[in-house]
Every structure is written in C-alpha cells, then in structure tokens.
Amino acid sequence: MRTWFLCKVKYAKENEEGLLKNISEQYLVDAVSFTEAEAIIYDRLGSQIRGDFQVTSLSKSNIVDVFFFEDADIWYKCKVSYLVSDGESGKEKKVTQYMIVTASDVKEAYDRIQESLSNMLVSFRVPDIVESPIVEVFPYEKDELAEQLPEGNFKPLSEVQETED
C-alpha cells in the first residue's frame, strides 16, 4: 500500500508586474518515509523553481489512491464510502477513503472516480468532492532507484536465495 505525503512549499514567484511575491503551494509525494518525501520534493522542485524554496510542512496524507488524466490539471479530492462485512461478527462496517482525480470540473471528477472504481466488488457512494489545493503529484518511479545504483554485480534477491537453498 502506498503512503502519500502532503508537502507544503514556500518560495518567491514573479507575478505579471515583475514583482516577487511569496507563495505557498502543496504537493503530494509517494514515499516510504518523511525523509524520502522531502528528498523527492527538493529533487523535483529544484529544477522547476528558480531561486530558493523551503519545505514548510510535511505530513502523511489520508489519500489512498490517485487517478491522473492528462487532459486536466485541477486535482479534486473525492470522499468515497462503502460498507464491508466483518468476517467474524458478520456486522457491516462503513469505510471511508479519500482519493484524488484530475478533472476540469466537479461533474467530470465524479464521472472519472465512478469510472476508475467501476471494478470494485462492493457498491460505493461519493458523498463529497472538493477542489484540492494540490499543485502536482509525484508518484513513486522505479527507474529512478535503478539509475542511482552504482555499477556492480547485482543480482535479484530471489536468485541469491535460490543458490543458497
């Protein structure tokens, strides 16, 4: 299961009149720890933001899934509720999860979340959709880790374990 971190970044941005104005933006990062999330933010934003910037806040997010569509750039936070049965007691329990999706308006966000979750085995409701202040999402990318490894005689762990048995 992914862990999403909400990162708030503060920096000076040039407006239309050419004046610098301090702004604060939110980013969502998929990482395994706070340290990794902060490192990803500094790595990704270092090339996008001219000048200095500062991570002012870093917290675990309650978002469980992200649905990205290339034709829109506004992120909407969707509250999704469904009922699950407890295997031991047989009682139904209401589960609420939050997901974000890109869309051009609330109706499109609703349609896209319905489409994205259409393969769920339980029926669900979407009682709330709000525009999110998140500017950009940085999902985990496997290739980045491979590029950072030094050259060497690396083998997958499964191959090493097979030879030891």
Side-chain angles (χ1 to χ4, degrees):
M1 187 171 148
R2 294 180 160 201
T3 303
W4 292 97
F5 291 88
L6 192 59
C7 302
K8 293 182 185 176
V9 176
K10 189 174 186 177
Y11 66 97
K13 185 176 184 178
E14 193 173 316
N15 63 14
E16 295 85 31
E17 293 87 39
L19 301 172
L20 290 178
K21 181 180 179 184
N22 285 334
I23 64 164
S24 185
E25 294 181 331
Q26 291 185 22
Y27 297 87
L28 194 65
V29 179
D30 181 16
V32 294
S33 67
F34 286 92
T35 305
E36 184 186 29
E38 187 174 16
I40 290 169
I41 280 292
Y42 277 103
D43 180 56
R44 296 286 179 87
L45 296 183
S47 60
Q48 292 181 16
I49 297 175
R50 289 191 322 167
D52 292 336
F53 64 92
Q54 179 182 10
V55 175
T56 58
S57 173
L58 188 60
S59 61
K60 279 190 177 180
S61 171
N62 60 358
I63 293 171
V64 295
D65 217 340
V66 173
F67 300 104
F68 176 72
F69 292 84
E70 289 189 17
D71 64 341
D73 59 353
I74 300 172
W75 289 98
Y76 287 89
K77 187 173 183 178
C78 305
K79 179 179 180 180
V80 178
S81 300
Y82 55 92
L83 296 174
V84 293
S85 295
D86 184 356
E88 294 176 15
S89 67
K91 293 182 180 178
E92 285 192 336
K93 177 182 169 186
K94 183 179 178 181
V95 175
T96 300
Q97 294 182 329
Y98 294 91
M99 303 169 191
I100 61 170
V101 62
T102 52
S104 54
D105 57 30
V106 173
K107 182 183 182 329
E108 187 175 51
Y110 177 81
D111 293 341
R112 286 183 172 180
I113 209 75
Q114 289 283 342
E115 174 190 331
S116 299
L117 299 177
S118 62
N119 60 351
M120 280 185 67
L121 299 176
V122 295
S123 59
F124 61 92
R125 291 187 36 228
V126 184
D128 190 29
I129 298 177
V130 294
E131 188 173 331
S132 169
I134 294 170
V135 175
E136 195 170 347
V137 174
F138 298 119
Y140 173 75
E141 294 179 10
K142 295 179 203 171
D143 298 340
E144 289 179 10
L145 182 62
E147 291 173 9
Q148 293 174 0
L149 290 174
E151 288 191 29
N153 190 17
F154 295 108
K155 293 181 183 178
L157 184 58
S158 59
E159 288 180 19
V160 174
Q161 289 173 339
E162 285 175 9
T163 59
E164 291 177 358
D165 293 337

